[in-house]
Amino acid sequence: MKELEKKIEYVFKNRALLEEALTHSSYANEQPKNVAYNERMEFLGDAVLSFVSAQFLFEKYPDMPEGKLSKLRSSLVCTQSLSSFAKEINLGGYMKMGKGETASGGAQRPSVLEDAFEALIAAIYLDGGINEAKKFILRFLSREVDNHHTNFKDYKSLLQEIIQQNPDERLSYAVIGESGPDHDKRFKVELKLNSNVIATGEGTSKKNAEQMAARQALELMGVEL
């Protein structure tokens, strides 16, 4: 714990939060008693990351239009970026994982590292507040943003821009299925326009599945990708 705290430049008042952020569901499933694991923290951390990155880009690029801000944010906080940040601090090496997940190299799997990084953000936020979480996040984002390539295909944002041309239309994504073992999860997402299903997508994370559903919808609309 102390070694990781030194790497992230933050000392926890409540170490239980850090322990939960580092506990994978595969480990919890192997324990005889209920053990808290990091999926709920991932949910919160994703929201904190979204807010902090949006504020950062909004202030850094005062003349950049909303569409470009959205694409830049998506590329900065995509699975590849977050898993890369996690590897910098060897986050996978501190995680508690089940035997099967450990044997299959789960500690280095991008989707697992992405989730753990977001859970760590949540733990810092819950323990020290938004300013400490912001300090941790910007340590990575502020360094990356100037040289970051924005050619990441953000299908969700592109689809949203098209749909927003009609204010009465609403998009929504919902997970309709999960399959595979803990070390190789697959998610299936349904994309609705108002109440009508217009596409589905599958991926190794919920975010990836949403992107695939949005891509399918764009293809059906005849948008050149």
Side-chain angles (χ1 to χ4, degrees):
M1 292 283 192
K2 288 182 179 179
E3 185 178 286
L4 179 57
E5 286 177 334
K6 189 174 181 180
K7 287 183 178 181
I8 66 176
E9 300 175 4
Y10 180 77
V11 177
F12 279 83
K13 297 182 283 290
N14 181 2
R15 284 261 179 88
L17 291 168
L18 177 57
E19 189 166 345
E20 183 176 340
L22 297 173
T23 302
H24 190 259
S25 59
S26 61
Y27 176 86
N29 292 336
E30 291 181 0
Q31 305 311 304
K33 296 181 179 180
N34 288 336
V35 173
Y37 53 94
N38 66 9
E39 286 187 3
R40 280 171 51 84
M41 280 198 166
E42 172 213 336
F43 166 78
L44 178 60
D46 179 64
V48 175
L49 175 62
S50 180
F51 167 70
V52 170
S53 57
Q55 182 184 29
F56 169 62
L57 294 176
F58 181 82
E59 293 173 353
K60 184 174 178 65
Y61 300 108
D63 299 320
M64 185 178 284
E66 181 272 338
K68 287 187 177 180
L69 284 172
S70 181
K71 289 176 182 176
L72 180 54
R73 181 178 63 174
S74 293
S75 67
L76 275 172
V77 300
C78 67
T79 300
Q80 183 179 350
S81 295
L82 297 185
S83 62
S84 175
F85 299 156
K87 285 179 181 178
E88 280 187 43
I89 56 176
N90 188 29
L91 192 57
Y94 300 98
M95 292 187 68
K96 289 182 178 180
M97 313 192 86
K99 294 176 182 177
E101 187 75 15
T102 300
S104 65
Q108 296 304 314
R109 188 170 296 110
S111 59
V112 171
L113 290 174
E114 174 192 17
D115 292 347
F117 191 79
E118 290 178 336
L120 178 57
I121 290 171
I124 295 172
Y125 168 72
L126 290 170
D127 191 72
I130 190 64
N131 287 333
E132 291 294 340
K134 184 176 180 180
K135 188 189 304 180
F136 174 70
I137 293 167
L138 295 186
R139 172 180 157 193
F140 298 93
L141 296 194
S142 60
R143 180 197 68 203
E144 290 289 310
V145 67
D146 290 331
N147 298 315
H148 210 275
H149 298 292
T150 58
N151 58 359
F152 166 74
K153 292 289 187 180
D154 184 7
Y155 302 114
K156 284 183 66 178
S157 293
L158 178 57
L159 180 62
Q160 187 66 37
E161 287 176 22
I162 294 172
I163 298 301
Q164 281 177 343
Q165 294 175 17
N166 187 340
D168 296 327
E169 306 288 357
R170 292 289 181 271
L171 290 172
S172 62
Y173 297 83
V175 176
I176 58 171
E178 294 182 27
S179 60
D182 285 336
H183 66 271
D184 190 23
K185 279 279 190 185
R186 301 286 299 181
F187 296 87
K188 187 171 184 180
V189 164
E190 188 176 75
L191 170 57
K192 287 184 178 181
L193 179 61
N194 299 324
S195 60
N196 300 313
V197 177
I198 60 171
T200 58
E202 293 189 24
T204 54
S205 69
K206 294 172 188 175
K207 291 179 182 177
N208 182 244
E210 289 174 355
Q211 288 285 350
M212 292 303 98
R215 176 174 182 165
Q216 185 185 98
L218 290 166
E219 288 173 345
L220 290 172
M221 293 166 67
V223 177
E224 188 173 335
L225 302 175

